[in-house]
Amino acid sequence: MGSLNETVWGVSLPEYKLDYISKSAVSLYERPLENWYANTNLWSDVIHPDDKERIAKESEALFITGYTNLEYKIITGSNKVKWIYSNTKVLKNEEGVPYLMTGIAGDITARKLAELELRYYKTAIDESAIVSITDVNGIITYV
């Protein structure tokens, strides 16, 4: 797991004890690994305020469906905003009792910024009578 860009983690249930987290969490969240073991609420603490309520609601389904696939913003240790995806799964024993929550998270900031830029250009094209796009040298590439 040390070579992954994504962060992989596992939490024992029902005590919500972090069993493991990959070293890539340091670059994704910009926080030392020790912080994750020391603060069981750090996962929710880093969620951007704009997304906290939505993610709390969407996460409620985790123990019903057994998984979540979420995209949201976080605030890193250096106060940067990043977009991440987070896929979480709950594993249950033979009696149906949850014993492990595990997941993977990764940085999707570049993709989200590209989507935002595309929406910007689409809006400009949809709302303009004449649109031209130029390259960095000022040469018109689209009219």
Side-chain angles (χ1 to χ4, degrees), residues 6-131:
E6 289 82 8
T7 296
V8 179
W9 54 271
V11 171
S12 293
L13 299 174
E15 51 281 324
Y16 289 90
K17 178 187 169 288
L18 182 64
D19 289 332
Y20 63 89
I21 186 167
S22 59
K23 293 177 186 174
S24 54
V26 175
S27 61
L28 179 60
Y29 295 95
E30 300 179 11
R31 298 172 189 278
L33 290 180
E34 300 80 34
N35 290 14
W36 297 101
Y37 289 99
N39 180 358
T40 57
N41 292 322
L42 192 53
W43 297 104
S44 61
D45 293 348
V46 300
I47 298 173
H48 192 281
D50 293 349
D51 293 337
K52 275 191 187 282
E53 186 176 330
R54 176 179 59 85
I55 295 306
K57 285 180 183 172
E58 292 180 15
S59 295
E60 289 174 6
L62 179 60
F63 287 94
I64 297 167
T65 63
Y67 68 91
T68 57
N69 298 313
L70 306 172
E71 293 183 355
Y72 55 92
K73 296 181 298 292
I74 61 166
I75 300 175
T76 68
S78 65
N79 288 320
K80 287 193 290 189
V81 174
K82 288 185 181 180
W83 276 93
I84 66 167
Y85 75 88
S86 176
N87 300 338
T88 304
K89 183 169 180 81
V90 171
L91 303 177
K92 299 178 180 179
N93 64 20
E94 299 80 30
E95 291 83 37
V97 177
Y99 69 91
L100 181 69
M101 184 172 15
T102 186
I104 186 166
D107 190 346
I108 57 170
T109 304
R111 187 191 91 202
K112 286 295 193 177
L113 293 176
E115 289 172 359
L116 184 62
E117 187 174 7
L118 285 172
R119 278 196 300 274
Y120 170 78
Y121 285 120
K122 182 183 181 325
T123 301
I125 290 169
D126 290 347
E127 295 179 3
S128 300
I130 298 175
V131 173

